[in-house]
Amino acid sequence: MPKIVTPLTDTQVKNAKSKEKPYKLFDGGGLYLEVTTSGGKLWRMKYRKLDGKENRLAFGAYPEVTLSDARTKRAEARKLISDGIDPSQDRKDKNLSNRQAAANTFEKLAREWHTNKLGSWRESTARDTLRRLELDIFPEIGSFPIGSITHQQMIAALRKIEARGAHEVAHRVKATCARVFTYANQQGIENRNPAADMRDVLKPSKAGHFAAITADELPAFLAAMETNDARLFKPTRIAIRLMLLIFLRTSELIETPWDEIDLEKGEWVVPWHRMKRGKLTINPDTSDHHVCLSRQALELLRELHSLTGGSGFVFPNQRDARKPMSNGAILMALKRMGYQNKMTGHGFRALAMSTIKERLGYRHEVVDRQLAHAQKDKVVSAYDRAQFLMERKTMMQDWADYIDEIRRSE
């Protein structure tokens, strides 16, 4: 028969004194208190593993771990044993899992997700996505294990973005975070994805068009360009003038290398892979874009060549000529001119579209093709390129002359 053990009392545990040699006070069920020669009191449990070998578990020291606490731990261990689980191995597995969970921080998983997406994103998308995370999210929850992040912590991070008035950015960042949480779950790293169901937490983002001046506001804008009270550098002023004259997208303009432009022939052809639709990962548009230069635009390019012709880029970065002008340079210039939230780089395209149709009487299809907008019908798209080129050249010269006429009338 198994030896009957009288359970310990709190008084016995409390009053146990050290002796010349360590000794044990048994509570039954394998649980005992080991009293060391220095007076330490350590809870232990003796049990047999599945292979029959004897093993021991440590439950901590008294009084941090009380007699009641030790008995609870014993019960939990005996339950594991009855289920065929070695409690010692179970503890090791849980410790490993906890260490892995602590190592799987939001920032670590977000950077992994970002790296995996690089092959399917445009360079600007990859750059902007990571920048928003680095600015707004990593400082707030980046160091937290991803499985530990709560709704309240996620909300607090997003509301800091809202607090500066960036409501649309807050919504975009929320969507990005939700995708990071989903990525972690797909990797077997469990989390609650607190960003996934926040439909009513953030303030609604007002959808709208890019800020753009109207045709009636164009004279004042041209006057501001002439006076140059903002003291813009010459290349920056030329960049804004060219955006007005040829209305390329900002990135398509500032990232232009000189070898795309033939100043002698007055031709500028942007290769398809630099165009917005050419950068699509699925069914990219592989047609090059003819800019159609007016006489005034060509004069500006020749003037610019005397300033930056020694660089690979038409608009080199002031700090590093091996790189193009920063995308934010145009917005900063417009801000210094007094047009913050009134005009954007994309706004020049909207201005041209509306004004050329309304004031110069050109058909929508012709202006649309000059804007390099995609045609849904590929047959129509091919026809447009073949039939509209000469009409577009005439239109662009008329547009430049119209702008000059406004400038002279001021």
Side-chain angles (χ1 to χ4, degrees), residues 25-45:
L25 296 176
F26 293 92
D27 187 61
L31 178 66
Y32 61 89
L33 183 73
E34 182 176 329
V35 183
T36 67
T37 55
S38 61
K41 301 175 184 179
L42 308 175
W43 292 111
R44 300 281 190 262
M45 177 180 168

Side-chain angles (χ1 to χ4, degrees), residues 67-132:
L67 174 58
S68 177
D69 293 336
R71 286 171 175 167
T72 299
K73 292 176 182 290
R74 175 184 61 191
E76 292 170 352
R78 289 175 66 85
K79 177 64 170 61
L80 290 173
I81 294 170
S82 68
D83 291 339
I85 300 172
D86 183 342
S88 179
Q89 186 61 47
D90 181 69
R91 177 180 292 181
K92 291 177 182 178
D93 292 343
K94 287 180 178 177
N95 287 339
L96 176 60
S97 178
N98 290 337
R99 288 196 299 271
Q100 290 175 337
N104 287 322
T105 64
F106 182 89
E107 180 172 352
K108 174 179 177 289
L109 273 300
R111 290 188 183 277
E112 279 185 16
W113 166 78
H114 181 268
T115 300
N116 286 347
K117 299 293 292 183
L118 289 179
S120 60
W121 278 345
R122 293 171 56 188
E123 182 180 347
S124 58
T125 300
R127 180 182 62 248
D128 293 344
T129 300
L130 184 59
R131 182 173 178 271
R132 283 195 291 264

Side-chain angles (χ1 to χ4, degrees), residues 295-359:
R295 182 184 66 257
Q296 292 89 331
L298 189 56
E299 288 175 359
L300 284 173
L301 286 170
R302 286 173 176 156
E303 181 181 2
L304 185 62
H305 191 267
S306 67
L307 300 172
T308 68
S311 170
F313 290 103
V314 174
F315 295 100
N317 191 293
Q318 292 182 7
R319 296 181 179 179
D320 186 352
R322 295 170 299 179
K323 299 179 180 179
M325 176 189 289
S326 165
N327 206 303
I330 300 296
L331 283 177
M332 182 56 67
L334 292 170
K335 178 181 178 181
R336 291 175 62 183
M337 290 174 61
Y339 282 86
Q340 184 178 19
N341 299 325
K342 298 178 183 178
M343 189 59 167
T344 60
H346 201 280
F348 289 104
R349 293 165 61 80
L351 171 67
M353 170 64 88
S354 59
T355 309
I356 290 175
K357 290 195 300 181
E358 294 172 5
R359 303 291 172 93

Side-chain angles (χ1 to χ4, degrees), residues 363-375:
R363 290 174 297 146
H364 175 87
E365 293 84 358
V366 181
V367 188
D368 201 52
R369 184 57 217 157
Q370 186 59 38
L371 286 164
H373 284 163
Q375 297 290 341

